[in-house]
Amino acid sequence: LFRSERSGALAEVLRELADVAEETRALRGQILAGLALPAFNLLSACFIVPLPALVLGGSTARYLLSALSPPLVLAAIGLGLARLGRRASGAALDRWLRPLPVVGRIWHELECWRFFRTLALLTRTSLGLVDSVTFAAGACRGSKLREGLAAAAAEAGARGTPVGPLVARTHLLPPDVTAEWRMAEQTGRLEETFRRISAHYRESCQTRLRSLAGWVPRLVYFVVLIYMALQVLRLAGAYLGAADRILGG
């Protein structure tokens, strides 16, 4: 804000910050919306699966214990993971999230969106590109992208060369993205280019989140069906065993 005020672009930067906050809220809302249906289905299954045992003469206390234990355990695990994610280092987050299918790709695109959205914002201030890249790299949670971009900016500043070619050498970004970056430095259209790249990453991330939100409920359905089938087989075995004992007696 201090830099934007000195450069006479405070109003524009404040509007940009409001847009960034809105985009962040929209992405967070999409993630939560994608998790809402699987969570509801799983919670419903926790109460439905033990129901046959209650109908066949089980106690209410045992039913409530069977129904409430899984969601409480899952809630504790979820809260623990969320707390661990907030406190984990960038290197740990990269090590845990990047190898995961789909999730790793979403994590990388979120990081790139944060970086280029911040970089587009900083082009409106009096900061030079080298300082802007260094500052924007700090918006990345993961250490690999943050440290690689900051190192490229530091090398460009020390050598007095454009940043784009040095970023391309890190292989942290796709070749088409670094090619756009180099062209923007040559033409002086940095803000427009960085804004376009950030929009691309945001849209790609939203598409992947929608896809993930569509597949997670199916996976939950599959797990619940398998568990219910096992419960039915267990109850059937118990029923047949009781019938054999009665007939044998």
Side-chain angles (χ1 to χ4, degrees):
L1 291 176
F2 173 73
R3 291 282 186 176
S4 61
E5 187 175 10
R6 291 190 61 184
S7 60
L10 180 59
E12 291 83 356
V13 169
L14 289 175
R15 282 195 294 268
E16 289 290 326
L17 287 173
D19 291 341
V20 170
E22 179 62 24
E23 291 174 5
T24 303
R25 186 199 61 79
L27 283 173
R28 185 181 295 114
Q30 190 166 5
I31 294 173
L32 294 177
L35 295 175
L37 183 59
F40 174 78
N41 293 334
L42 193 60
L43 183 63
S44 300
C46 290
F47 283 90
I48 293 173
V49 168
L51 195 58
L54 178 65
V55 174
L56 293 176
S59 66
T60 303
R62 187 176 181 84
Y63 166 75
L64 291 175
L65 181 63
S66 300
L68 293 175
S69 295
L72 290 177
V73 170
L74 291 175
I77 293 174
L79 291 174
L81 290 175
R83 187 174 182 181
L84 182 62
R86 287 194 295 268
R87 295 187 174 186
S89 64
L93 290 173
D94 280 337
R95 186 169 60 252
W96 297 337
L97 298 178
R98 281 183 177 274
L100 296 178
V102 183
V103 174
R105 187 63 183 172
I106 292 174
W107 167 252
H108 176 70
E109 290 180 346
L110 276 173
E111 291 282 86
C112 292
W113 170 73
R114 289 192 192 102
F115 171 72
F116 281 106
R117 195 68 179 88
T118 306
L119 195 55
L121 174 63
L122 291 173
T123 56
R124 289 178 173 265
T125 69
S126 59
L127 280 175
L129 182 58
V130 170
D131 291 335
S132 296
V133 172
T134 303
F135 189 91
C140 301
R141 287 290 311 277
S143 61
K144 185 176 181 180
L145 189 62
R146 181 180 66 245
E147 293 172 1
L149 293 170
E155 184 177 356
R159 295 169 53 181
T161 60
V163 184
L166 297 176
V167 171
R169 282 171 42 187
T170 65
H171 302 290
L172 294 171
L173 300 173
D176 58 329
V177 172
T178 54
E180 281 195 74
W181 186 326
R182 292 196 300 268
M183 183 62 67
E185 285 190 271
Q186 295 173 9
T187 60
R189 304 175 69 177
L190 292 171
E191 180 184 356
E192 178 184 345
T193 300
F194 293 149
R195 190 184 298 276
R196 182 171 60 250
I197 294 173
S198 71
H200 162 73
Y201 277 115
R202 185 187 71 246
E203 292 167 4
S204 179
C205 186
Q206 288 174 336
T207 301
R208 293 182 189 277
L209 285 172
R210 283 193 293 268
S211 177
L212 184 64
W215 278 102
V216 169
R218 299 175 190 177
L219 180 62
V220 171
Y221 292 149
F222 179 75
V223 172
V224 169
L225 286 175
I226 294 296
Y227 184 71
M228 291 184 70
L230 292 175
Q231 288 293 98
V232 169
L233 291 175
R234 186 181 65 82
L235 289 173
Y239 176 78
L240 291 174
D244 287 340
R245 288 194 296 271
I246 292 173
L247 291 176

